[in-house]
Amino acid sequence: MVGDAGYPAGVLDLARTGRGVARLAMVGPAPDGLTPYGGLPPVPPIPMSALARPGADPATVEAAFAAVRQLLH
């Protein structure tokens, strides 16, 4: 069975019922009601990009991007 949802909450709700699994970027503890499962094949990395709004403070933008990079590595 395969399903999808328009919002992450729908994916998490299905996984919480025990009728499915959800691949999530693990940045901290698992969401409430879920536990890690190690029986799935590895997922290849995907590219990610981010843009700042025009006129945003460059130092703030760089600090935010650096924080996200640190979380994802």
Side-chain angles (χ1 to χ4, degrees):
M1 179 173 148
V2 174
D4 66 26
Y7 298 92
V11 173
L12 295 176
D13 287 343
L14 180 62
R16 283 184 182 109
T17 68
R19 293 182 287 154
V21 296
R23 289 202 180 258
L24 305 172
M26 293 305 296
V27 183
D32 289 341
L34 298 179
T35 56
Y37 175 77
L40 299 174
V43 178
I46 59 171
M48 181 177 159
S49 62
L51 299 173
R53 68 171 173 77
D57 175 60
T60 302
V61 170
E62 184 50 41
F65 287 0
V68 171
R69 278 188 212 101
Q70 183 178 3
L71 284 172
L72 296 176
H73 284 175

